[in-house]
Structure formats: structure tokens, C-alpha cells
Amino acid sequence: MAEKTIAVLTSGGDAPGMNAAIRAVVRAGIANNMKVIGVRRGYNGLLENDVIDMDLRSVSDIIHKGGTLLYTARSEEYNSSEGVKKAAEFCRNLGISGLVVIGGDGSFRGARELSAEGIQVVGIPGTIDNDIACTEYTIGFDTAMNTAMEMVDKIRDTAQSHNRCSLVEVMGRRCGDVALKTGIAVGATAILVPEVPFNFERDVIAKMLKTQKTGKKHFIIIVAEGVGGIDYFTRRIQEATGIEARGTVLGHVQRGGSPTLRDRVMASNMGHRAVECLRDGIGNRIIAVQNGKVIDLDINEALNMKKTIDRDLYNVALEISI
């Protein structure tokens, strides 16, 4: 039987654990008698012939590293039908029968377009926001939350020393999962997420004043990136309560760092499952976690799902942040 050739790329925003996923794809591929090609800088690599042959030692000592060995980028050219056809033709010329795409929703939409051109593609969810509807978990989410938690714990020290209110913006444009779980972990007084409408006067200021009467002297407010308004919120708190308020935007520090155990194990499991799909000639799939198990779904079914926040957990946060 002729050796099957597969490729792997990372696309969109980087996430801790992407290297662990690359490592799993390469080693599982080789274990299944496949040739593995690494595509650098996302879909750009398919358009610009930026590829490398990968072997067992290509992925040595990367499982603990953040970022992505293959680099990542967003490609304007690939977003056109001509770009997709060019990428598919490149795959055929190299004999690539299957491609593993590690990234988020945008990367998966690109994967679906390539699948329509006859290339078997399997997507692995890698994004710190945990904003992919078909899966309970995305690679990088745990590391990002732990980074945010550690940063807020440090901020709390100075807030407590000065009897201040600290507002901390964490990542999450459309999804408040990082904010919700980080907020619970740090004992935030209020958590603002894009999925849940809020009244700032009632849900933040009134709550601060109420807890102040019980002896609380410093406050942590967690704001998801998609909510925005952190500068306004900071000024309004100071005006309404007389409490000194400071705002901090954590930004891209949440993308970096060595992945946690959970991210390393999940990335390895997902990478292995992706190779199994391609080994068996199954493409047009997304690897996902449902009910704690790693599964694969049809890419169209996966992309049509709608993401919702865990309202039960959100209600827990409301009840215990008093």
C-alpha cells in the first residue's frame, strides 16, 4: 500500500497546547505509516509553498511550550474562492490526502471550503476563548484561565492594601467563559459577560455598596473583552461609591505560557483522534469534547451549532459573590 501523506497547520490566534497537538498529529501519523508535512503560517503556507517535512524528532521537546512551532497567521487571499482552489491544487500536487487544521471557528470555515474542493480535512479546536459551540473544551482555555487567575490574584494584593476596586478585563469577545470561571476562581464581586444583559448601577454599584455595609473593603470586578467599557466603568464606580478604582486589561499575556496538564493531555488526545479519522479515510470532521469524551462531528453540523454560556454556573457566581 502506498504511503499516505497528511499535513498539519495552525491558524488564527495562537493558544497554549497547539504544540502538543502538532506533536500528537506528527507522531500518530508516523505510527500509522504516514508521511507528515508541516504547513507554516496557517493557510498562507498552502498558498506560498511554505512547508516542511516532519519526523519524530521535529516535535521533540515542544509539548511544554506555548505558541506554535508552525507559526500562525490570517490569510486574506485564502478567503477568496480562487485562494481555496489554489490551496487545494497545492495539496494535490504534494500528494496530501488529508489536512489537520488546529484553530477556531474561522479556521474551521476555511477547512470546510477546502473539504468542498476534495481535500479531507479534520479540525481541532484551539482557542483560548472556548467559543466553539460544538465542543465543551478548546485547547488553550485552561491555561488562559490559570494565567488570568494568577494575574488577578496579584492585582488583589494591591487592591486589598489600598482598599480599592480593581476592574480586570479578560479575553473573550463573543464568549464569557474565561471571565465567568476566572471570576468565580478569584471571588469576584461581579462578573460581566457578553451573553448576559446587565444593569451596571444595579449589578455592580448597588452590589458593592451593599457588601461594603457588611465590612467588605476591596473589590474585584471581572469584565469580558466583548463587554468593553472598562474605563467608563472604572470612572463610574469611583463617582458613585467614592472607592478608588483602577482598571487593568490583561490582554495577550493570556495567550502565552507553558500549557497546563489539562491542555497538554487534551491536545494530545485530539491530535491522535484527528489522525485516526484521516487514517480511515474520513474527512470533513471537527474533533470535539462532549460529555467529557473526545469525538468527531460533521463539520457542517459543528459549525451550525450555537454557543451558550453555562447559566447554572453563572447563577452560582451571583449567589456566592456577596
Side-chain angles (χ1 to χ4, degrees):
M1 181 182 294
E3 182 183 62
K4 182 178 284 190
T5 299
I6 66 171
V8 57
L9 64 80
T10 50
S11 176
D14 62 303
M18 280 184 165
N19 279 326
I22 294 168
R23 174 181 180 271
V25 169
V26 172
R27 292 194 169 174
I30 292 171
N32 283 277
N33 301 312
M34 297 176 178
K35 178 181 179 181
V36 185
I37 292 174
V39 181
R40 292 191 286 207
R41 297 183 299 112
Y43 290 110
N44 282 326
L46 296 178
L47 300 174
E48 300 172 9
N49 192 21
D50 191 0
V51 298
I52 53 173
D53 290 334
M54 304 195 78
D55 58 27
L56 294 175
R57 300 285 71 82
S58 299
V59 290
S60 293
D61 300 321
I62 66 167
I63 195 169
H64 62 290
K65 294 180 179 178
T68 163
L69 170 75
L70 294 174
Y71 309 108
T72 184
R74 292 178 171 86
S75 174
E76 288 300 322
E77 183 182 359
Y78 184 79
N79 287 333
S80 67
S81 60
E82 293 79 10
V84 174
K85 291 181 186 298
K86 180 179 177 182
E89 186 62 26
F90 178 76
C91 288
R92 283 189 283 269
N93 289 339
L94 276 187
I96 295 171
S97 61
L99 174 67
V100 178
V101 173
I102 307 167
D105 261 342
S107 302
F108 292 165
R109 295 183 193 284
R112 181 171 60 183
E113 297 300 317
L114 200 55
S115 289
E117 292 295 324
I119 306 299
Q120 291 182 341
V121 186
V122 178
I124 295 176
T127 167
I128 67 167
D129 290 348
N130 203 43
D131 60 351
I132 298 177
C134 68
T135 183
E136 297 165 1
Y137 189 82
T138 63
I139 296 168
F141 179 50
D142 190 59
T143 306
M145 286 190 299
N146 276 278
T147 297
M149 180 183 70
E150 291 170 10
M151 296 299 101
V152 177
D153 283 347
K154 295 177 189 297
I155 290 168
R156 177 200 301 282
D157 290 344
T158 189
Q160 188 172 21
S161 297
H162 294 271
N163 290 342
R164 285 178 182 153
C165 174
S166 285
L167 291 92
V168 184
E169 181 184 286
V170 299
M171 280 189 163
R173 288 194 303 269
R174 301 182 306 273
C175 177
D177 282 8
V178 173
L180 175 58
K181 294 189 177 183
T182 300
I184 291 173
V186 301
T189 300
I191 304 167
L192 306 181
V193 297
E195 298 95 332
V196 182
F198 62 90
N199 179 301
F200 192 76
E201 304 295 318
R202 178 195 66 209
D203 298 329
V204 178
I205 291 174
K207 195 171 189 181
M208 287 178 61
L209 293 173
K210 181 179 179 180
T211 56
Q212 194 177 34
K213 291 177 182 177
T214 67
K216 191 170 182 66
K217 292 183 172 57
H218 70 278
F219 304 86
I220 300 291
I221 311 297
I222 301 295
V223 182
E225 177 186 10
V227 172
I230 189 169
D231 291 335
Y232 167 76
F233 295 153
T234 301
R235 290 194 303 271
R236 182 68 194 121
I237 284 173
Q238 197 152 314
E239 291 168 359
T241 67
I243 299 168
E244 184 181 3
R246 297 287 177 89
T248 302
V249 178
L250 293 187
H252 284 81
V253 67
Q254 295 159 93
R255 286 200 186 278
S258 180
T260 60
L261 181 147
R262 186 180 186 191
D263 275 327
R264 297 183 199 190
V265 172
M266 192 63 73
S268 299
N269 199 352
M270 287 182 167
H272 186 270
R273 181 61 174 257
V275 171
E276 286 183 327
C277 289
L278 295 178
R279 178 199 64 195
D280 296 338
I282 302 170
N284 205 38
R285 309 297 285 179
I286 298 294
I287 306 302
V289 179
Q290 291 188 1
N291 299 316
K293 301 291 185 182
V294 174
I295 63 169
D296 58 275
L297 299 168
D298 175 80
I299 196 168
N300 293 299
E301 175 190 351
L303 287 173
N304 285 333
M305 293 180 181
K306 302 298 181 185
K307 174 73 176 177
T308 58
I309 201 162
D310 186 339
R311 290 303 291 259
D312 290 337
L313 190 60
Y314 183 81
N315 290 333
V316 167
L318 288 178
E319 289 195 12
I320 65 176
S321 58
I322 55 177

